[in-house]
Short mmCIF file of all heavy atoms in Angstrom, two decimals:
data_model
loop_
_atom_site.label_atom_id
_atom_site.label_comp_id
_atom_site.label_asym_id
_atom_site.label_seq_id
_atom_site.Cartn_x
_atom_site.Cartn_y
_atom_site.Cartn_z
N LEU E 98 -8.97 9.71 -1.88
CA LEU E 98 -9.54 8.89 -0.88
C LEU E 98 -9.67 9.57 0.49
O LEU E 98 -10.63 9.45 1.17
CB LEU E 98 -8.78 7.57 -0.74
CG LEU E 98 -8.83 6.58 -1.94
CD1 LEU E 98 -7.87 5.33 -1.67
CD2 LEU E 98 -10.29 6.10 -2.18
N ARG E 99 -8.56 10.30 0.85
CA ARG E 99 -8.67 11.07 2.01
C ARG E 99 -9.76 12.17 2.07
O ARG E 99 -10.39 12.28 2.94
CB ARG E 99 -7.34 11.70 2.24
CG ARG E 99 -7.12 12.47 3.62
CD ARG E 99 -5.76 13.02 3.87
NE ARG E 99 -4.84 11.92 4.17
CZ ARG E 99 -3.81 11.53 3.34
NH1 ARG E 99 -3.62 12.29 2.12
NH2 ARG E 99 -3.07 10.60 3.62
N LEU E 100 -9.93 12.83 0.90
CA LEU E 100 -10.92 13.71 0.70
C LEU E 100 -12.40 13.17 0.90
O LEU E 100 -13.39 13.74 1.33
CB LEU E 100 -10.90 14.49 -0.59
CG LEU E 100 -9.69 15.47 -0.74
CD1 LEU E 100 -9.49 15.81 -2.18
CD2 LEU E 100 -9.80 16.62 0.19
N ASP E 101 -12.36 11.83 0.50
CA ASP E 101 -13.66 11.01 0.56
C ASP E 101 -13.90 10.46 1.99
O ASP E 101 -14.88 9.64 2.17
CB ASP E 101 -13.74 10.01 -0.49
CG ASP E 101 -15.01 9.60 -0.89
OD1 ASP E 101 -16.05 10.39 -0.73
OD2 ASP E 101 -15.18 8.48 -1.44
N GLY E 102 -13.16 10.86 2.93
CA GLY E 102 -13.22 10.40 4.36
C GLY E 102 -12.51 9.26 4.82
O GLY E 102 -12.51 8.86 6.05
N TRP E 103 -11.75 8.56 3.89
CA TRP E 103 -10.91 7.47 4.35
C TRP E 103 -9.70 7.93 5.09
O TRP E 103 -9.15 8.90 4.96
CB TRP E 103 -10.41 6.58 3.13
CG TRP E 103 -11.51 6.01 2.40
CD1 TRP E 103 -12.12 6.56 1.25
CD2 TRP E 103 -12.35 4.85 2.66
NE1 TRP E 103 -13.23 5.72 0.65
CE2 TRP E 103 -13.38 4.63 1.68
CE3 TRP E 103 -12.26 3.98 3.72
CZ2 TRP E 103 -14.35 3.72 1.68
CZ3 TRP E 103 -13.21 2.85 3.78
CH2 TRP E 103 -14.16 2.76 2.75
N ASP E 104 -9.24 7.15 6.09
CA ASP E 104 -8.01 7.34 6.89
C ASP E 104 -6.94 6.70 6.10
O ASP E 104 -6.65 5.45 6.24
CB ASP E 104 -8.26 6.65 8.18
CG ASP E 104 -7.07 6.94 9.17
OD1 ASP E 104 -6.18 7.74 8.80
OD2 ASP E 104 -7.03 6.43 10.25
N VAL E 105 -6.19 7.51 5.30
CA VAL E 105 -5.28 6.97 4.31
C VAL E 105 -3.87 7.16 4.83
O VAL E 105 -3.45 8.20 5.25
CB VAL E 105 -5.40 7.71 3.04
CG1 VAL E 105 -4.49 7.09 1.91
CG2 VAL E 105 -6.88 7.57 2.45
N THR E 106 -3.16 6.07 4.63
CA THR E 106 -1.70 6.06 4.88
C THR E 106 -1.03 5.83 3.49
O THR E 106 -1.26 4.82 2.94
CB THR E 106 -1.29 5.00 5.94
OG1 THR E 106 -1.81 5.24 7.19
CG2 THR E 106 0.31 5.08 6.00
N PHE E 107 -0.24 6.74 2.92
CA PHE E 107 0.41 6.66 1.69
C PHE E 107 1.94 6.36 2.03
O PHE E 107 2.57 7.15 2.60
CB PHE E 107 0.27 7.95 0.95
CG PHE E 107 0.98 7.93 -0.40
CD1 PHE E 107 0.82 6.86 -1.35
CD2 PHE E 107 1.92 8.85 -0.74
CE1 PHE E 107 1.51 6.80 -2.53
CE2 PHE E 107 2.64 8.79 -1.97
CZ PHE E 107 2.39 7.82 -2.81
N LEU E 108 2.34 5.21 1.65
CA LEU E 108 3.74 4.77 1.84
C LEU E 108 4.80 5.19 0.83
O LEU E 108 5.99 4.99 1.10
CB LEU E 108 3.76 3.24 2.15
CG LEU E 108 2.83 2.75 3.19
CD1 LEU E 108 3.07 1.12 3.21
CD2 LEU E 108 3.18 3.36 4.52
N GLY E 109 4.30 5.77 -0.20
CA GLY E 109 5.26 6.42 -1.23
C GLY E 109 5.69 5.40 -2.22
O GLY E 109 5.19 4.30 -2.42
N ALA E 110 6.86 5.79 -2.87
CA ALA E 110 7.41 5.04 -3.84
C ALA E 110 8.19 3.77 -3.39
O ALA E 110 8.82 3.85 -2.30
CB ALA E 110 8.43 5.91 -4.86
N SER E 111 8.31 2.80 -4.19
CA SER E 111 9.33 1.59 -3.96
C SER E 111 9.28 1.03 -2.60
O SER E 111 10.27 1.18 -1.94
CB SER E 111 10.70 1.99 -4.46
OG SER E 111 11.57 0.85 -4.52
N VAL E 112 8.15 0.47 -2.23
CA VAL E 112 8.07 -0.15 -0.87
C VAL E 112 8.52 -1.70 -0.93
O VAL E 112 7.74 -2.44 -1.57
CB VAL E 112 6.59 0.14 -0.26
CG1 VAL E 112 6.63 -0.53 1.08
CG2 VAL E 112 6.33 1.58 -0.34
N PRO E 113 9.49 -1.99 -0.26
CA PRO E 113 9.94 -3.45 -0.30
C PRO E 113 8.69 -4.26 0.29
O PRO E 113 8.08 -4.00 1.32
CB PRO E 113 11.10 -3.46 0.53
CG PRO E 113 11.79 -2.13 0.47
CD PRO E 113 10.54 -1.21 0.40
N SER E 114 8.51 -5.42 -0.36
CA SER E 114 7.23 -6.23 0.03
C SER E 114 7.39 -6.67 1.47
O SER E 114 6.39 -6.72 2.23
CB SER E 114 7.24 -7.43 -0.95
OG SER E 114 6.93 -7.08 -2.21
N ALA E 115 8.59 -7.00 2.03
CA ALA E 115 8.66 -7.48 3.30
C ALA E 115 8.25 -6.29 4.30
O ALA E 115 7.62 -6.63 5.34
CB ALA E 115 10.19 -7.98 3.55
N HIS E 116 8.66 -5.15 4.01
CA HIS E 116 8.32 -3.98 4.88
C HIS E 116 6.94 -3.65 4.76
O HIS E 116 6.15 -3.32 5.85
CB HIS E 116 9.19 -2.77 4.50
CG HIS E 116 10.64 -2.99 4.82
ND1 HIS E 116 11.35 -2.45 5.94
CD2 HIS E 116 11.68 -3.64 3.99
CE1 HIS E 116 12.59 -2.79 5.72
NE2 HIS E 116 12.82 -3.50 4.69
N LEU E 117 6.34 -3.75 3.55
CA LEU E 117 4.84 -3.53 3.45
C LEU E 117 4.10 -4.48 4.17
O LEU E 117 3.05 -4.28 4.88
CB LEU E 117 4.54 -3.67 1.97
CG LEU E 117 3.02 -3.50 1.66
CD1 LEU E 117 2.40 -2.22 2.12
CD2 LEU E 117 2.74 -3.67 0.10
N VAL E 118 4.39 -5.81 4.13
CA VAL E 118 3.79 -6.80 4.84
C VAL E 118 3.88 -6.65 6.34
O VAL E 118 2.76 -6.79 7.08
CB VAL E 118 4.28 -8.27 4.45
CG1 VAL E 118 3.92 -9.35 5.49
CG2 VAL E 118 3.94 -8.67 3.07
N SER E 119 4.98 -6.30 6.86
CA SER E 119 5.09 -5.95 8.27
C SER E 119 4.21 -4.79 8.66
O SER E 119 3.53 -4.97 9.76
CB SER E 119 6.57 -5.58 8.46
OG SER E 119 6.72 -5.28 9.91
N TYR E 120 4.13 -3.81 7.80
CA TYR E 120 3.23 -2.62 8.18
C TYR E 120 1.73 -3.12 8.16
O TYR E 120 0.95 -2.75 9.01
CB TYR E 120 3.46 -1.54 7.15
CG TYR E 120 2.83 -0.35 7.39
CD1 TYR E 120 3.49 0.75 8.21
CD2 TYR E 120 1.49 0.12 7.12
CE1 TYR E 120 2.96 1.90 8.55
CE2 TYR E 120 0.91 1.25 7.48
CZ TYR E 120 1.68 2.23 8.19
OH TYR E 120 1.13 3.37 8.59
N LEU E 121 1.32 -3.90 7.27
CA LEU E 121 -0.07 -4.44 7.21
C LEU E 121 -0.28 -5.27 8.47
O LEU E 121 -1.35 -5.16 9.05
CB LEU E 121 -0.30 -5.28 5.94
CG LEU E 121 -0.22 -4.52 4.57
CD1 LEU E 121 -0.39 -5.39 3.46
CD2 LEU E 121 -1.02 -3.34 4.53
N HIS E 122 0.61 -6.13 8.91
CA HIS E 122 0.32 -6.94 10.02
C HIS E 122 0.24 -6.06 11.36
O HIS E 122 -0.69 -6.15 12.13
CB HIS E 122 1.58 -7.80 10.28
CG HIS E 122 1.48 -9.05 9.50
ND1 HIS E 122 0.46 -9.96 9.78
CD2 HIS E 122 2.40 -9.63 8.71
CE1 HIS E 122 0.69 -11.01 9.02
NE2 HIS E 122 1.80 -10.80 8.34
N ARG E 123 0.86 -5.00 11.31
CA ARG E 123 0.92 -4.00 12.51
C ARG E 123 -0.39 -3.10 12.62
O ARG E 123 -1.06 -2.94 13.62
CB ARG E 123 2.07 -3.07 12.43
CG ARG E 123 2.05 -2.09 13.63
CD ARG E 123 3.45 -1.26 13.61
NE ARG E 123 3.36 -0.26 14.83
CZ ARG E 123 4.35 0.58 14.93
NH1 ARG E 123 5.37 0.68 14.01
NH2 ARG E 123 4.38 1.51 15.94
N HIS E 124 -0.90 -2.67 11.42
CA HIS E 124 -2.03 -1.74 11.41
C HIS E 124 -3.31 -2.37 10.90
O HIS E 124 -4.31 -1.70 11.11
CB HIS E 124 -1.57 -0.61 10.48
CG HIS E 124 -0.51 0.25 11.11
ND1 HIS E 124 -0.65 1.09 12.08
CD2 HIS E 124 0.84 0.32 10.69
CE1 HIS E 124 0.50 1.73 12.42
NE2 HIS E 124 1.43 1.23 11.58
N ASP E 125 -3.28 -3.50 10.31
CA ASP E 125 -4.60 -4.25 9.92
C ASP E 125 -5.56 -3.26 9.22
O ASP E 125 -6.64 -3.03 9.77
CB ASP E 125 -5.12 -4.89 11.20
CG ASP E 125 -6.33 -5.89 10.74
OD1 ASP E 125 -6.28 -6.38 9.60
OD2 ASP E 125 -7.15 -6.06 11.48
N PRO E 126 -5.21 -2.69 8.03
CA PRO E 126 -6.16 -1.70 7.44
C PRO E 126 -7.26 -2.58 6.77
O PRO E 126 -7.31 -3.73 6.65
CB PRO E 126 -5.24 -1.15 6.33
CG PRO E 126 -4.25 -2.18 6.05
CD PRO E 126 -3.92 -2.82 7.33
N ARG E 127 -8.23 -1.74 6.36
CA ARG E 127 -9.46 -2.31 5.55
C ARG E 127 -8.94 -3.07 4.30
O ARG E 127 -9.40 -4.13 3.85
CB ARG E 127 -10.54 -1.34 5.38
CG ARG E 127 -11.58 -1.88 4.44
CD ARG E 127 -12.77 -0.88 4.38
NE ARG E 127 -13.81 -1.25 3.30
CZ ARG E 127 -14.62 -2.30 3.45
NH1 ARG E 127 -14.60 -3.08 4.48
NH2 ARG E 127 -15.45 -2.54 2.46
N ALA E 128 -7.93 -2.32 3.64
CA ALA E 128 -7.50 -2.77 2.43
C ALA E 128 -6.14 -2.12 2.09
O ALA E 128 -5.79 -1.13 2.65
CB ALA E 128 -8.33 -2.56 1.21
N VAL E 129 -5.40 -2.67 1.20
CA VAL E 129 -4.15 -2.13 0.67
C VAL E 129 -4.33 -1.92 -0.92
O VAL E 129 -4.69 -2.90 -1.59
CB VAL E 129 -2.89 -2.94 0.96
CG1 VAL E 129 -3.06 -4.35 0.54
CG2 VAL E 129 -1.64 -2.26 0.47
N LEU E 130 -4.00 -0.77 -1.32
CA LEU E 130 -4.01 -0.48 -2.74
C LEU E 130 -2.56 -0.36 -3.31
O LEU E 130 -1.79 0.32 -2.77
CB LEU E 130 -4.56 0.85 -3.08
CG LEU E 130 -6.17 0.86 -3.06
CD1 LEU E 130 -6.74 0.68 -1.72
CD2 LEU E 130 -6.68 2.31 -3.59
N LEU E 131 -2.29 -1.17 -4.27
CA LEU E 131 -0.90 -1.33 -4.88
C LEU E 131 -0.90 -0.74 -6.27
O LEU E 131 -1.85 -1.02 -7.06
CB LEU E 131 -0.45 -2.82 -4.90
CG LEU E 131 -0.29 -3.58 -3.60
CD1 LEU E 131 0.12 -4.93 -3.81
CD2 LEU E 131 0.54 -2.82 -2.71
N ALA E 132 0.00 0.09 -6.52
CA ALA E 132 0.19 0.76 -7.81
C ALA E 132 1.30 0.19 -8.64
O ALA E 132 2.32 -0.09 -8.18
CB ALA E 132 0.42 2.27 -7.61
N CYS E 133 1.10 0.12 -9.98
CA CYS E 133 2.01 -0.31 -10.85
C CYS E 133 1.96 0.38 -12.21
O CYS E 133 0.74 0.34 -12.79
CB CYS E 133 1.86 -2.03 -11.07
SG CYS E 133 3.03 -2.58 -12.36
N ALA E 134 2.98 1.12 -12.69
CA ALA E 134 2.79 1.87 -13.87
C ALA E 134 3.24 1.21 -15.04
O ALA E 134 2.93 1.58 -16.24
CB ALA E 134 3.60 3.16 -13.69
N LEU E 135 4.11 0.04 -14.92
CA LEU E 135 4.74 -0.44 -16.13
C LEU E 135 4.37 -1.95 -16.16
O LEU E 135 4.56 -2.69 -15.29
CB LEU E 135 6.30 -0.25 -16.09
CG LEU E 135 6.88 1.04 -16.01
CD1 LEU E 135 8.29 0.99 -15.83
CD2 LEU E 135 6.50 1.85 -17.16
N PRO E 136 3.74 -2.41 -17.30
CA PRO E 136 3.33 -3.82 -17.46
C PRO E 136 4.50 -4.75 -17.30
O PRO E 136 4.30 -5.88 -16.91
CB PRO E 136 2.77 -3.84 -18.78
CG PRO E 136 2.32 -2.54 -19.15
CD PRO E 136 3.23 -1.57 -18.48
N MET E 137 5.65 -4.34 -17.65
CA MET E 137 6.82 -5.27 -17.50
C MET E 137 7.15 -5.66 -16.03
O MET E 137 7.83 -6.60 -15.75
CB MET E 137 8.18 -4.60 -18.03
CG MET E 137 8.74 -3.45 -17.18
SD MET E 137 10.14 -2.77 -17.95
CE MET E 137 9.57 -1.98 -19.46
N ARG E 138 6.42 -4.96 -15.13
CA ARG E 138 6.69 -5.40 -13.62
C ARG E 138 5.55 -6.10 -13.10
O ARG E 138 5.42 -6.34 -11.83
CB ARG E 138 6.81 -3.98 -12.89
CG ARG E 138 8.01 -3.17 -13.28
CD ARG E 138 8.36 -2.09 -12.17
NE ARG E 138 8.43 -2.71 -10.88
CZ ARG E 138 9.53 -3.29 -10.33
NH1 ARG E 138 10.59 -3.43 -11.26
NH2 ARG E 138 9.58 -3.85 -9.27
N LEU E 139 4.65 -6.63 -14.04
CA LEU E 139 3.54 -7.53 -13.57
C LEU E 139 4.01 -8.80 -12.76
O LEU E 139 3.30 -9.14 -11.70
CB LEU E 139 2.64 -7.95 -14.74
CG LEU E 139 1.79 -6.77 -15.24
CD1 LEU E 139 1.00 -7.27 -16.43
CD2 LEU E 139 0.81 -6.39 -14.24
N PRO E 140 5.08 -9.50 -13.08
CA PRO E 140 5.57 -10.67 -12.24
C PRO E 140 5.83 -10.18 -10.83
O PRO E 140 5.41 -10.92 -9.93
CB PRO E 140 6.65 -11.19 -13.02
CG PRO E 140 6.48 -10.81 -14.38
CD PRO E 140 5.88 -9.37 -14.35
N GLN E 141 6.51 -9.02 -10.70
CA GLN E 141 6.89 -8.56 -9.35
C GLN E 141 5.55 -8.18 -8.63
O GLN E 141 5.45 -8.28 -7.36
CB GLN E 141 7.78 -7.44 -9.42
CG GLN E 141 9.21 -7.76 -9.93
CD GLN E 141 9.27 -7.60 -11.46
OE1 GLN E 141 8.30 -7.80 -12.24
NE2 GLN E 141 10.39 -7.37 -12.01
#
């Protein structure tokens, strides 16, 4: 995405939801992309 011109912030592994929400409030990005590798974590 960065190579495609987007101004990307990668927050890395295991970001607690409360901290992620606080970050989104502060920076108001166009979108947030969330990654999930294991289906067992779908409820979370």
Side-chain angles (χ1 to χ4, degrees):
L98 290 175
R99 184 176 288 114
L100 291 168
D101 206 20
W103 297 99
D104 184 4
V105 181
T106 300
F107 178 55
L108 300 183
S111 190
V112 182
S114 293
H116 295 258
L117 175 58
V118 166
S119 177
Y120 192 89
L121 297 180
H122 275 301
R123 179 177 179 182
H124 294 283
D125 191 27
R127 171 170 171 75
V129 57
L130 280 68
L131 299 180
C133 178
L135 301 174
M137 70 178 71
R138 296 194 56 79
L139 285 173
Q141 295 90 332

